[in-house]
Amino acid sequence: MKATMRHSVTCAAAVQDEQEIQDMPEFLDSIKWDSNNLAVAIAQHIDTGEVLMQAFVDRNAVNETLQTGLATFYSRSRQGRWCKGETSGHYIKVQNVHLDCDKDSIIYLSEPIGPACHTNAPTCYFTSVSRNDEDGRVQVQGEHTSIEHAPMSTLFALERTIQERKLAAGTTEKPSWTVKLMNNPELLCSKVREEAGELCETWENDEGKERAASEAADLIYHAMVLLNVQGVTLEEVSKELRRRFGTSGIEEKASRTTTSTTPP
């Protein structure tokens, strides 16, 4: 179940009582509140997929979030309403609200303004837990000052690895294809063009889905290295793609400003 948001600038906007909004009481009644009349709410980054934070909500918090478009929770420590960012300025702009199949937990699909965590980390989840392959001991790693152990989806983990290779350049004798590409613009651009051509050939030559996926992976990797060199993040690319949702590709291209190459 999904609800689309309308946005406000601050948490101070006037909020109507749930009874004044059509279907709001019925929607709130459908949520399976716990014995304390609360439910779990998870804020997830709309562009990166990162899980930003988890808190609790009551009826009033969900009602307010749906009206203001700003993530609002119920603070158990304060025993009352908590609009994230009202004090720090680090608001979380909610784009959509989703319920799970049992209707007892909620996702705020969001665009954060500043760090989501009170430690000033971009996400509250910066600690990883694993077992050591050698001795089987449990390892807990991570600090709020680093995203090294933050959970990331495949492409964003690759982006992190590319950046790590860049930072490690010159500090190790181990050869790095990524660093070689970064230091050779002609090679990097030629590889992006080459991989794009090979991806097209998988369709032209009917080489199958597996081959297409492989060539697409090559193209995406080399494109991401090129983006890194230019200081462009995947989050920025995702935002641009999201901006185009609902717009015809033909219309979007026609709306772009054309720069003349003819000398004055």
Side-chain angles (χ1 to χ4, degrees):
M1 183 173 185
K2 180 182 101 171
T4 301
M5 305 307 306
R6 296 176 64 184
H7 292 289
S8 180
V9 177
T10 70
C11 292
V15 176
Q16 293 177 275
D17 184 272
E18 65 175 76
Q19 298 295 335
E20 300 176 27
I21 300 177
Q22 185 175 354
D23 298 328
M24 181 70 80
E26 291 78 9
F27 164 66
L28 294 174
D29 285 341
S30 73
I31 298 176
K32 293 183 180 178
W33 307 102
D34 66 15
S35 58
N36 295 312
N37 294 316
L38 301 175
V40 171
I42 298 167
Q44 181 181 13
H45 198 305
I46 190 170
D47 293 314
T48 69
E50 288 176 290
V51 176
L52 300 173
M53 60 171 287
Q54 175 194 298
F56 289 87
V57 291
D58 62 1
R59 295 178 69 99
N60 291 333
V62 176
N63 177 48
E64 180 171 337
T65 298
L66 285 169
Q67 292 187 54
T68 66
L70 295 173
T72 304
F73 305 94
Y74 179 88
S75 171
R76 294 179 298 172
S77 60
R78 303 175 189 176
Q79 291 291 296
R81 169 191 172 279
W82 169 40
C83 177
K84 176 73 174 72
E86 201 162 34
T87 301
S88 65
H90 300 157
Y91 296 102
I92 295 179
K93 296 173 63 177
V94 180
Q95 306 293 325
N96 294 301
V97 173
H98 300 261
L99 283 176
D100 78 331
C101 57
D102 293 321
K103 295 188 177 181
D104 59 4
S105 67
I106 298 170
I107 288 179
Y108 288 165
L109 195 59
S110 312
E111 181 179 358
I113 303 174
C117 184
H118 74 281
T119 64
N120 279 331
T123 168
C124 293
Y125 296 89
F126 47 75
T127 304
S128 67
V129 183
S130 60
R131 290 192 66 191
N132 188 292
D133 291 336
E134 296 181 359
D135 58 20
R137 297 180 61 184
V138 173
Q139 293 180 311
V140 180
Q141 305 176 82
E143 297 289 341
H144 74 275
T145 54
S146 171
I147 62 170
E148 181 180 357
H149 294 283
M152 292 186 176
S153 56
T154 301
L155 290 181
F156 286 88
L158 174 58
E159 180 180 52
R160 178 172 59 188
T161 299
I162 290 171
Q163 179 65 11
E164 289 172 351
R165 296 289 188 274
K166 182 178 183 178
L167 295 176
T171 64
T172 176
E173 295 181 359
K174 184 178 179 180
S176 168
W177 176 245
T178 299
V179 174
K180 183 176 182 179
L181 290 170
M182 289 179 171
N183 291 332
N184 190 330
E186 184 177 352
L187 174 63
L188 176 53
C189 290
S190 70
K191 289 300 296 182
V192 172
R193 295 186 181 100
E194 175 188 328
E195 300 301 345
E198 291 180 356
L199 176 59
C200 290
E201 289 174 5
T202 64
W203 183 30
E204 295 166 343
N205 300 331
D206 195 21
E207 297 176 9
K209 293 172 60 177
E210 185 175 338
R211 185 63 179 167
S214 176
E215 293 299 342
D218 287 342
L219 175 58
I220 290 170
Y221 159 72
H222 286 92
M224 287 175 63
V225 174
L226 182 58
L227 289 173
N228 179 282
V229 170
Q230 297 185 89
V232 179
T233 66
L234 276 183
E235 181 178 343
E236 291 170 321
V237 175
S238 296
K239 285 183 178 179
E240 174 59 20
L241 288 171
R242 178 160 54 88
R243 183 187 67 80
R244 300 181 187 183
F245 285 176
T247 302
S248 161
I250 295 175
E251 293 176 355
E252 193 280 328
K253 288 183 181 297
S255 68
R256 297 182 188 180
T257 301
T258 302
T259 302
S260 174
T261 58
T262 304

